Amino acid sequence: MTAAQAGPILGGVVVHWSTPRSAMGALLMLGLGRDHGLTTEQCLAGTGLAERQLADPDAALGVTDELAVIANVVRELGDPPGLGLEAGELFRSTSYGLWGFALISSPTLRSTIRVGFQFGELSFSLSETSVHDADGELRLLLEPLGIPPDLRRFTVERDAAAIQTLHRDLLAAPRALRRVEFTRPAPPADVLPRYASLFGVPPIFDADATMLVFDAAEVDVPLPQANGQTAAVVLGHCRDLLDERRARSGMSRLVRDLLIERLPAPPDAADLARELHIGERTLRLKLADEGTSYRALLDEVREHLAEELLVSQRLPVAEIAHRLGYVEVSSFSQAFRRWKGMGPRAFRDLDRRVDHKRPPASTRGLSGIERGRAL
C-alpha cells in the first residue's frame, strides 16, 4: 500500500537531518548496547561523542550522530530479531522532554497528532511519518527514507515500538492496535510473541507498507492526563526550544538571514556569494561543512514562515505564496505538501479543529520578514 492508497492524509513529519535533537536518543541507544554486553567504547567508536556529553540534559546533536551510535550497536550485536522493539520500548513519554509533556497533556488523540507533527523535530523519529484517515481507521505509515539499508529494519521497528509505547503512556493503560503491518519478512517463531505482546495483535509481515493502524473512534476520546493550561504553557516552550535548535551560526546563519530579508525575491547562490564577497563554490563548500546547502536553507526558511503565516497570521494562501517568493500558488502548494504531507489549506483546517487553547506563536522568524520587504 502506498501513501496515496492509504487514504486522505491528516499530516506528516519528515526527518530534518540538519536540525539538532536531544542527546537522549543516543544515550538510550548506548544503554541498549550496554544491556547486551557492549562497552561504551564499542557503542561510541568513531562517533566523536563522549558519554558525559550524552548525559547532559541540555546537550543536542545531529541526527547522523545518533544514527552513528545505532550503527555501532546494531552491527556489533548482529541485529538480532526483536532488538528494534526493545529499543523502541525505552522511549517513554518522559524521554522526549517538552514534546512528550505537550502530547500527554493534550485533550484528545486528535490534538496529539497535530502537536506531534507540528513539533516533530523534537521527537526521535528516524522514519518519514504520515497519518491517513480511511475506512474508520487511522493509518500511521512509517518509511525509513535516507537510512542505510542494513539499519532500516532496526530503525523502523524502533520507531513503531516507540509510537506504541507512547500510545500506551498517553492512555495510561495498555491498548491494542487494530492492525500492525511490516514490510520485513516474519522473524523466527520464538520472537513473534514479543510483537503481539507489545502491539496487542500479531503483526502482518511481508506487507506493502509499514503501518500502525488505530481505531478512528479513539481520535476524540478525552485523554486521562489532559490539562489545557499545562498544554498551552508547554507548547510555548516547545516553540522556543525549536526556534533555538533551528537557529544557525557561521555561514549558514548569514545565508539564512539574507534569505529572510529578501524572501519575496530570493537571491540565488551566486547572488549570495557576491554579496558575501566569496566565490559561489566557496559558499557551497562552507555550507556543506556545516551540514546544509543553499536549497536546504531556502526550504527551511520558507517552511517555517509558511506555517507561521498560515496559523498565526491567517493570510490567504496566494498571498503567502507571494511573500515566500513563489511565482505560482501551485508551486507553493506542492512544496508545502512535501514539507508537511498535506496542502496549506488542509494544514490550516487541521489547526482550526484543535480543541484546546494555544499560546501565541513565536514571531522570531516573522520579525526577519518585517525587517525586509516581505511585509
Side-chain angles (χ1 to χ4, degrees), residues 29-295:
M29 295 303 94
L30 171 60
L32 176 70
R34 284 172 165 174
D35 289 345
H36 284 266
L38 299 182
T39 65
T40 299
E41 291 71 23
Q42 286 175 301
C43 295
L44 301 183
T47 65
L49 301 171
E51 182 179 359
R52 64 179 179 278
Q53 177 185 354
L54 301 184
D56 181 351
D58 296 322
L61 44 76
V63 179
T64 53
D65 295 321
E66 182 179 333
L67 199 58
V69 179
I70 290 173
N72 285 339
V73 172
V74 170
R75 290 163 184 166
E76 287 286 348
L77 297 179
D79 195 13
L83 185 66
L85 299 187
E86 183 180 346
E89 288 182 283
L90 297 174
F91 290 86
R92 303 302 302 268
S93 60
T94 52
S95 305
Y96 299 94
L98 289 171
W99 189 78
F101 283 114
L103 298 187
I104 210 164
S105 58
S106 295
T108 65
L109 200 56
R110 184 187 299 279
S111 299
T112 67
I113 292 172
R114 186 197 64 83
V115 172
F117 286 160
Q118 183 176 358
F119 299 105
E121 292 168 72
L122 298 180
S123 75
F124 297 105
S125 177
L126 291 167
S127 303
E128 308 286 334
T129 310
S130 58
V131 169
H132 305 258
D133 186 0
D135 303 324
E137 297 179 339
L138 282 185
R139 299 167 181 168
L140 184 63
L141 269 64
L142 304 176
E143 299 178 90
L145 304 179
I147 303 297
D150 63 329
L151 300 179
R152 288 176 186 168
R153 183 178 74 178
F154 174 88
T155 55
V156 78
E157 289 195 350
R158 189 191 85 160
D159 285 346
I163 290 169
Q164 173 61 350
T165 300
L166 183 57
H167 179 225
R168 289 179 167 184
D169 285 350
L170 290 173
L171 298 174
R175 181 68 63 92
L177 299 180
R178 176 176 284 195
R179 191 169 70 257
V180 180
E181 300 182 10
F182 289 100
T183 57
R184 59 156 294 175
D190 62 334
V191 182
L192 287 174
R194 180 161 196 171
Y195 287 82
S197 175
L198 174 60
F199 297 111
V201 292
I204 299 170
F205 295 98
D206 288 312
D208 293 332
T210 295
M211 67 171 73
L212 307 183
V213 182
F214 301 81
D215 188 337
E218 289 187 18
V219 172
D220 295 306
V221 173
L223 296 180
Q225 301 177 74
N227 186 307
Q229 185 175 2
T230 299
V233 172
V234 174
L235 283 176
H237 289 312
C238 283
R239 289 188 177 90
D240 291 341
L241 178 58
L242 195 51
D243 282 343
E244 179 183 327
R245 290 188 181 171
R246 286 169 172 172
R248 296 181 175 275
S249 59
M251 184 59 67
S252 57
R253 177 59 179 268
L254 293 174
V255 170
R256 185 179 185 275
D257 287 347
L258 288 171
L259 288 173
I260 288 175
E261 291 171 5
R262 297 161 59 184
L263 201 52
D268 60 20
D271 290 335
L272 287 171
R274 282 192 294 272
E275 190 160 345
L276 294 168
H277 307 291
I278 58 176
E280 183 179 350
R281 183 173 183 274
T282 300
L283 172 63
R284 294 187 185 278
L285 288 174
K286 285 181 175 292
L287 292 178
D289 287 342
E290 295 176 12
T292 188
S293 66
Y294 164 81
R295 177 54 59 183

Side-chain angles (χ1 to χ4, degrees), residues 9-10 342-351 353:
I9 189 168
L10 292 180
M342 66 175 73
R345 292 181 179 84
F347 182 86
R348 179 150 54 196
D349 289 344
L350 180 64
D351 183 80
R353 292 199 298 268

